[in-house]
Amino acid sequence: MGEEFVPPGIDPTVMSHARAYDYVLGGKDNYAVDREAAGAVMALAPDLPVLGNAQRRFLLRVTRMCAEAGIDQFLDIGAGLPTAPNVHETAKAIDPDARVVYVDYDPLVTVHNSALLAGVPGVVSIVGDVRDPDSIIDAPEVVKLIDWERPVLLLFVGLFHLVGDGDDPAGIVARFRERVVPGSHIMLSQFCSDGSDPSARAKLEEISADSPSPMCFRTREHIASFFEGLDVLDPGVVDVQDWWPDESAPPTGLKVAAGVGVVR
């Protein structure tokens, strides 16, 4: 693979969830530690790429649905490394004036996204931590692009399994829900304990234990509680492959639950 570029401030010996996910999706923006971690899980759950791609399709389907419904503002928190097509490409294909803010706490994500987005109008990538919602809501780049008095799509895709219960993920969603106006949509997905292969789940929890964000599986019922105060769209909080049944994917050993709620 040759010598790998390591941006300042990045420790290539510590596993990154964003880079490991990039590897699962077939990307190249990852290091040996990320490939080793993802490979250990795939040894027990070889269909992990199927699950990862199903989650990407969920993200793009809902983005397209909202853009077609007239939403032109998108705040993607926990965006991860760029994978084409992405939110801004999907939204701008429908509305060229759509505005998108990508947020991630991994500096490498912002390095790659900023390089990719250079010169793309109405799109920006910033460093931010969902555990501090107000720092994102009030960030100058967000305030410049997102009009909080109009509907927005908030994306929390593959994010909350990296947020422990002590950080109150339901409270985080509630804070964003309080800030947006009726008609806004909130989509989220995360690893689900219901039906997940125990060995693969244990391995995923094991390899992430020493990472900055240990993996946190939750029951479907617990994940559904994050949508309190929202009108949950059909088919509800379900396996990510089943959220849009006419484009379903095969079931997988590990499970990700997904849903979309609309602000009243």
Side-chain angles (χ1 to χ4, degrees), residues 129-181:
D129 192 329
V130 74
R131 292 169 291 192
D132 185 0
D134 288 331
S135 70
I136 296 174
I137 292 169
D138 298 328
E141 300 92 338
V142 173
V143 173
K144 181 179 179 180
L145 283 184
I146 302 295
D147 179 357
W148 292 111
E149 301 309 312
R150 296 194 301 109
V152 59
L153 170 62
L154 297 174
L155 303 96
F156 302 107
V157 177
L159 174 62
F160 283 117
H161 49 243
L162 304 178
V163 178
D165 289 339
D167 291 309
D168 189 15
I172 291 170
V173 176
R175 176 68 187 104
F176 281 98
R177 185 191 69 228
E178 292 163 359
R179 187 66 185 86
V180 299
V181 299

Side-chain angles (χ1 to χ4, degrees), residues 201-213:
R201 172 186 172 182
K203 177 57 68 174
L204 195 48
E205 291 172 332
E206 174 193 330
I207 63 173
S208 71
D210 295 326
S211 75
S213 300

Side-chain angles (χ1 to χ4, degrees), residues 14 16 26-27 58 72 78 89 116 132-133 138 140 149 151 158 163 167 169-170 202 216 220 225 236-238 241:
V14 177
S16 157
F58 168 66
D72 61 359
E89 294 164 322
L116 176 73
D132 185 0
D138 298 328
E149 301 309 312
V163 178
D167 291 309
C216 181
R220 195 181 315 278
S225 72
V237 180
V238 298
Q241 296 99 317

Side-chain angles (χ1 to χ4, degrees), residues 68-89:
E68 289 174 344
I71 291 178
D72 61 359
Q73 307 184 107
F74 303 83
L75 182 57
D76 185 356
I77 303 176
L81 288 160
T83 301
N86 215 326
V87 172
H88 72 281
E89 294 164 322

